[in-house]
Amino acid sequence: MAVAMLLVLPYLAHATFMPPHQEPLGFGKTGQEDAHILRRVKVVENSTVTVDDILGVAENFNLDVWQVRSSSVDVHLTSGTEPSFHHFLEGSGLAYTDSALPYSLVHPQSIRPQASAWNLSSLSNSTFHTDYRTIDEIGIFVKQLIDLHPDQARLVPIGHSSEHREMFALEITANRTSLKKKTGFVITGAQHAREWIATSTALFIAHALLADPSESYSMASLLNTFDFYLVLLPNPDGYVYTWETDRFWYKNRQVVGAKAKCVGIDMNRFGYKWKSKAQFPAKNKNKTGTDPCAPWFPGNRAWEAPEVNNIANYITTLPNLGAHIDLRSYGQMISSPFSFSCKRTPKDAEDQLEAALGASQALKAAHGTSFTTGSLCSLLYKAPGNIVDYMYARAGIKFSYAVHLRDTGTYGFVLPPEWIRPVGEETANMIKSLAGFIVGKKCAVTTN
Ligand SMILES: *[C@@H]1O[C@H](CO)[C@@H](O)[C@H](O)[C@H]1NC(C)=O
Ligand SMILES: *[C@@H]1O[C@H](CO)[C@@H](O)[C@H](O)[C@H]1NC(C)=O
Ligand SMILES: *[C@@H]1O[C@H](CO)[C@@H](O)[C@H](O)[C@H]1NC(C)=O
Ligand SMILES: *[C@@H]1O[C@H](CO)[C@@H](O)[C@H](O)[C@H]1NC(C)=O
Ligand SMILES: *[C@@H]1O[C@H](CO)[C@@H](O)[C@H](O)[C@H]1NC(C)=O
């Protein structure tokens, strides 16, 4: 007999961030046509229903899967999609928890007040990091930063997106007075368009690298030993689409082939161990390839997405790279290679894991947030072509990580904007610790 458990989480842990008028939304009530929930289905050991079974059902119902772990699957449901999934769950005996996603987070204001009075001259006092930012606001932010720090920051064009937006990298280096050879550190923002916190965090890190060393969470001291290369918006077209049309869009916005009925390629499919088949949903039983309409459609061949080429081509021009962090959400994990295989272990695994462990402790020192560490395959699932594997195995970057930022599944991709600053701060600590490990000395991190 089915024992489905419905829990509407009242945001116990983070109640302070809930505006008082926003009750958690449920289904079946009147006037809630546009309710959104994040449902975590738990898979217990030896259960007759497996993660693959759930993914197969999700695929059949065309549901939006947000996270896949070995013991749970997170699915985003609306009042339109919930009933069919609920029916399946009732017959499955699987337990699940629901978290209601506040309307204002699912539908952020896209008409914005005239921006620019953020005053970027102080990291801690600036108002920039109080909210998610449109692509235009990000452009203004970057220009203001460069105006304030012309000797240390510059913009480098790296090519065009499939909708012909210019892509760029923000390079941050110390004043060019020292001839000492620096180690290159690459940071990429949200490849998957809906992972907004990844881009906000990349912006915070850029600001922290340029902040006066006397400020809390300033990362300026790292510029003595590192040059930073930040691709703040790896997927500009997808990002714009999440603001204008679909907050939960995942891929780029490429039209694939003349008669394609669907748009977009999963960006996180670089040309190392690339495969035409995704490993999920349901281990992708499709013999010919992955459905072009699926969020994880990898393209028809490796390197089909111009954005992916631009990033890889840019990386090859950079000297002496030592670290790469691919910022993502969500799940609170620092993951090292490999992604394509759970059986293969990199020869640098011991150093990679030790550095990640130290980085997770430094991160926790900021606001008490716990991150897990391990290989990407072991923490998530087997996925070919991941940027983390490419940067390690092809670009030769020894310390290559995917960092899934907050949270663990209450808000998922719609993390409240109040968390942008704390997430930026803890990530600054994490990067400082990693940088210290790489150069063989401890960097002081900020504790609260
Ligand atoms: C699952 O099955 C294995 C092998 O049959 C058994 O050793 C294990 O105790 C089972 N676990 C649970 C939680 O029942
Ligand atoms: C911006 O902040 C700096 C440092 O906090 C301050 O000195 C300056 O007056 C501020 N500028 C404006 C326009 O508010
Ligand atoms: C931030 O603002 C506070 C309060 O106005 C001020 O005391 C402090 O000096 C400012 N910090 C910076 C770095 O401008
Ligand atoms: C960089 O140079 C500028 C002007 O030459 C100077 O104002 C600034 O303090 C320098 N910054 C550092 C970190 O040395
Ligand atoms: C299988 O893959 C092919 C080629 O990408 C695609 O046209 C087809 O729709 C897919 N079928 C399913 C059921 O995903």
Side-chain angles (χ1 to χ4, degrees):
M1 189 50 220
V3 195
M5 188 173 70
L6 182 80
L7 285 178
V8 175
L9 295 180
Y11 306 111
L12 288 172
H14 316 296
T16 47
F17 294 129
M18 281 293 292
H21 63 278
Q22 276 163 350
E23 302 287 327
L25 302 173
F27 292 111
K29 298 184 195 161
T30 51
Q32 295 179 337
E33 299 294 300
D34 196 26
H36 291 257
I37 56 173
L38 177 50
R39 175 166 298 172
R40 172 159 297 174
V41 183
K42 290 166 185 164
V43 183
V44 290
E45 209 188 335
N46 300 346
S47 148
T48 52
V49 183
T50 65
V51 164
D52 278 351
D53 295 332
I54 299 168
L55 291 173
V57 170
E59 186 182 24
N60 289 340
F61 292 146
N62 206 9
L63 300 177
D64 185 15
V65 173
W66 277 17
Q67 195 190 64
V68 184
R69 314 272 310 245
S70 57
S71 59
S72 65
V73 178
D74 288 2
V75 182
H76 164 231
L77 299 167
T78 62
S79 27
T81 55
E82 198 272 347
S84 50
F85 195 52
H86 188 253
H87 186 72
F88 156 73
L89 288 174
E90 265 189 344
S92 74
L94 293 168
Y96 60 91
T97 53
D98 279 356
S99 173
L101 304 173
Y103 183 88
S104 65
L105 297 180
V106 177
H107 301 277
Q109 287 273 302
S110 59
I111 308 216
R112 318 275 294 175
Q114 197 63 37
S116 68
W118 303 308
N119 197 355
L120 302 181
S121 50
S122 152
L123 175 67
S124 41
N125 290 354
S126 174
T127 54
F128 181 78
H129 306 286
T130 56
D131 208 345
Y132 296 105
R133 299 298 175 189
T134 63
I135 194 165
D136 293 341
E137 290 170 326
I138 293 170
I140 297 168
F141 167 83
V142 167
K143 185 176 181 308
Q144 288 183 355
L145 262 192
I146 292 173
D147 287 348
L148 278 171
H149 307 278
D151 296 324
Q152 290 153 281
R154 65 204 162 99
L155 215 48
V156 177
I158 63 171
H160 289 84
S161 67
S162 45
E163 290 181 337
H164 310 296
R165 289 191 172 83
E166 180 143 74
M167 291 174 63
F168 60 84
L170 178 64
E171 300 192 348
I172 301 180
T173 57
N175 284 355
R176 264 150 274 157
T177 46
S178 148
L179 293 175
K180 203 178 121 212
K181 197 175 170 194
K182 307 276 169 71
T183 302
F185 201 126
V186 179
I187 296 175
T188 41
Q191 289 194 74
H192 297 144
R194 63 195 182 185
E195 297 170 9
W196 282 10
I197 190 66
T199 281
S200 294
T201 303
L203 300 172
F204 184 90
I205 297 301
H207 200 181
L209 285 165
L210 294 164
D212 190 90
S214 65
E215 286 209 69
S216 290
Y217 299 103
S218 167
M219 298 170 73
S221 66
L222 299 190
L223 300 181
N224 295 324
T225 36
F226 289 89
D227 290 334
F228 280 82
Y229 308 99
L230 298 97
V231 182
L232 303 168
L233 281 172
N235 179 5
D237 304 341
Y239 191 73
V240 169
Y241 197 74
T242 58
W243 275 94
E244 293 180 351
T245 309
D246 175 2
R247 174 65 186 84
F248 300 121
W249 185 255
Y250 183 84
K251 302 185 275 189
N252 74 358
R253 293 292 304 162
Q254 189 165 359
V255 176
V256 186
K259 278 185 260 161
K261 62 178 171 20
C262 293
V263 172
I265 293 177
D266 175 1
M267 288 255 324
N268 202 359
R269 299 285 178 163
F270 280 63
Y272 176 73
K273 302 282 180 190
W274 182 94
K275 276 191 183 154
S276 64
K277 294 187 200 179
Q279 301 288 327
F280 68 93
K283 297 235 169 82
N284 191 32
K285 295 183 184 80
N286 189 342
K287 294 268 188 300
T288 48
T290 302
D291 180 358
C293 301
W296 35 81
F297 176 56
N300 297 301
R301 54 179 174 82
W303 303 117
E304 194 173 5
E307 295 87 353
V308 166
N309 281 284
N310 293 341
I311 295 166
N313 289 340
Y314 170 63
I315 296 305
T316 61
T317 68
L318 303 174
N320 201 31
L321 295 180
H324 169 245
I325 284 181
D326 183 37
L327 293 169
R328 296 181 64 178
S329 76
Y330 56 92
Q332 297 179 192
M333 301 177 284
I334 305 175
S335 317
S336 48
F338 289 113
S339 170
F340 80 93
S341 165
C342 288
K343 293 186 192 118
R344 296 270 312 277
T345 304
K347 68 172 169 31
D348 297 305
E350 200 177 322
D351 280 354
Q352 290 166 342
L353 291 168
E354 189 183 339
L357 200 59
S360 72
Q361 286 157 359
L363 184 150
K364 191 171 189 171
H367 300 292
T369 314
S370 291
F371 273 51
T372 50
T373 59
S375 84
L376 189 51
C377 185
S378 68
L379 292 180
L380 275 182
Y381 42 81
K382 204 160 113 179
N386 194 287
I387 191 171
V388 167
D389 290 354
Y390 176 82
M391 291 293 186
Y392 175 69
R394 278 282 175 274
I397 301 179
K398 178 176 171 183
F399 293 93
S400 164
Y401 297 96
V403 175
H404 288 78
L405 303 164
R406 292 194 210 181
D407 56 15
T408 55
T410 301
Y411 293 99
F413 299 122
V414 290
L415 205 65
E418 291 86 349
W419 291 8
I420 292 170
R421 180 177 285 280
V423 169
E425 291 173 347
E426 64 198 17
T427 307
N429 264 11
M430 187 204 79
I431 292 173
K432 280 193 226 177
S433 165
L434 205 54
F437 187 95
I438 293 167
V439 298
K441 58 173 188 248
K442 268 203 151 41
C443 283
V445 298
T446 313
T447 52
N448 247 3

